[in-house]
Amino acid sequence: MNREQLIERVKAEMPYLVQCRRYFHQHPEISAHEFGTKAYIRAEIDKLGLPVDEAAHTAQIAILDTGRPGKHVMLRADIDALPIQESPNNLAGPRVVCSENPGVMHACGHDAHTAMLLGAMKILYEMKDELSGVLYFVFEEGEEAGTGIADIMRHLEKYPIDHAWGMHTCVLLETGKIDLSPGPRQAGNALIEAVVHGRGGHGSRPDRSINPTFAAAMMFPNAASAFENRLDVSKRVTLGLTTIEAGGVSNVFPDTATIKGTLRFFDVEEGQHAMEVLKEVFTHTAEMMGCTVTFEGTEMGQKPTYNDAHAVEVAHKAI
């Protein structure tokens, strides 16, 4: 099958790809709970008769062994959605399909990723007599929450994989364009969960209480100022403080206030430095207000995604 024939073969599968993507979009499931998604994927794998290595809760690795010596190549897609309520309309008007699972939607493109991998698996299976080596089709659970990656990596250790390929949609690119650039392409992240400890009391006597809500609120502008002035401007780290949780009634000071959020970075060392600056700012702000702070869920998370330079070269030649 030459290049032109392959392109025509892919075009012929467009109805299948659209059907799969729309199903996943209508039936989104959050991390580690992708049971319906898993069943749909497994049914498609079983149609081809491929063996499956099950990993984690809902992750699956389908294996296509051509029986001929060659490279071991992994293709990967993530399958989970996000806990977000989907609007029935987008900027162009009513959506063609919308989430049927209240409070959950595919807002990060994983419905498209999964459909693409199923399409690639189907076409490559039909081409197996023209291929060599072994192909691994990895459907990763819980990418958003990191629930499955450790178990998947353990499962993959037994396979001598030469290359790993993963696709991600990008709203910055026009439809039909692909970005092939070496180096960091998707930001790493760090998780933030800081608990500010004060002393609760009645709202009429702030002098007899230590209000952690004020301290937590002051941490936001203080952190923003520190990020503006203390980080390397050539190595951007984004500060995504998203939540303050404190109290529940209007006339009572709570004992604690919790701040949550994330940092995003392309340079790991600068990401670690940003985390140190954030902890320092939070600690000193708390002390200034007579509070203390503990970092109970604050940790470095995923590292940035790097495109391997040799793999990018191979892709350039293919395209």
Side-chain angles (χ1 to χ4, degrees):
M1 186 179 288
N2 61 33
R3 174 189 171 89
E4 288 71 26
Q5 290 172 324
L6 178 59
I7 291 173
E8 290 304 311
R9 182 68 193 82
V10 172
K11 287 181 178 179
E13 286 299 329
M14 281 303 295
Y16 173 77
L17 293 168
V18 171
Q19 170 191 313
C20 291
R21 183 260 167 186
R22 288 183 177 176
Y23 174 85
F24 296 131
H25 193 85
Q26 286 177 290
H27 303 89
E29 296 171 299
I30 60 172
S31 302
H33 293 79
E34 311 96 327
F35 301 110
T37 303
K38 175 183 178 179
Y40 189 103
I41 294 168
R42 185 58 179 268
E44 296 304 304
I45 296 172
D46 290 344
K47 288 178 185 177
L48 306 179
L50 296 176
V52 175
D53 183 356
E54 293 200 8
H57 296 93
T58 54
Q60 299 175 90
I61 304 169
I63 303 169
L64 172 57
D65 189 342
T66 68
R68 288 174 288 278
K71 297 286 187 180
H72 287 240
V73 178
M74 182 186 106
L75 306 182
R76 168 265 181 199
D78 35 17
I79 67 175
D80 57 331
L82 287 164
I84 300 173
Q85 179 64 42
E86 183 169 28
S87 167
N89 299 297
N90 58 27
L91 295 178
R95 297 181 187 275
V96 177
V97 293
C98 193
S99 170
E100 297 178 3
N101 187 1
V104 183
M105 73 170 290
H106 273 293
C108 199
H110 297 186
D111 50 345
H113 302 169
T114 307
M116 286 192 289
L117 185 53
L118 285 175
M121 181 178 69
K122 190 168 185 248
I123 293 170
L124 290 168
Y125 175 80
E126 294 173 2
M127 295 174 60
K128 62 182 183 298
D129 292 338
E130 303 177 49
L131 304 175
S132 61
V134 181
L135 287 160
Y136 305 90
F137 304 96
V138 179
F139 297 88
E140 178 189 350
E141 76 155 69
E143 185 273 341
E144 296 290 355
T147 62
I149 185 61
D151 194 51
I152 291 170
M153 293 302 291
R154 284 193 296 269
H155 275 261
L156 290 172
E157 284 178 359
K158 58 180 174 286
Y159 303 120
I161 294 170
D162 296 292
H163 288 283
W165 299 88
M167 301 282 275
H168 204 296
T169 57
C170 179
V171 341
L172 301 177
L173 288 175
E174 297 176 24
T175 299
K177 290 189 176 181
I178 298 173
D179 175 28
L180 286 174
S181 303
R185 304 308 300 158
Q186 300 284 344
N189 70 76
L191 304 177
I192 301 165
E193 185 173 343
V195 180
V196 184
H197 302 269
R199 185 172 67 237
H202 197 277
S204 65
R205 294 302 302 268
D207 57 309
R208 292 191 175 182
S209 304
I210 301 176
N211 188 356
T213 309
F214 261 127
M218 291 183 66
M219 289 174 182
F220 276 61
N222 289 352
S225 176
F227 269 57
E228 185 70 25
N229 293 284
R230 297 182 58 187
L231 301 186
D232 188 333
V233 295
S234 68
K235 299 177 181 179
R236 173 61 63 189
V237 179
T238 61
L239 175 63
L241 299 179
T242 58
T243 302
I244 294 181
E245 298 174 348
V249 294
S250 59
N251 62 341
V252 176
F253 295 114
D255 288 315
T256 62
T258 300
I259 296 174
K260 296 181 181 179
T262 60
L263 306 180
R264 304 280 176 158
F265 50 86
F266 287 103
D267 183 283
V268 174
E269 289 187 3
E270 192 65 11
Q272 292 171 333
H273 173 58
M275 179 64 82
E276 293 169 2
V277 169
L278 187 74
K279 287 183 175 181
E280 181 182 330
V281 169
F282 279 15
T283 299
H284 290 314
T285 303
E287 290 175 351
M288 182 175 66
M289 301 295 293
C291 297
T292 59
V293 61
T294 56
F295 301 96
E296 300 180 4
T298 302
E299 58 187 20
M300 299 301 290
Q302 303 288 344
K303 292 182 178 180
T305 299
Y306 287 84
N307 276 350
D308 176 76
H310 174 63
V312 168
E313 182 182 355
V314 170
H316 268 292
K317 290 179 179 178
I319 291 175

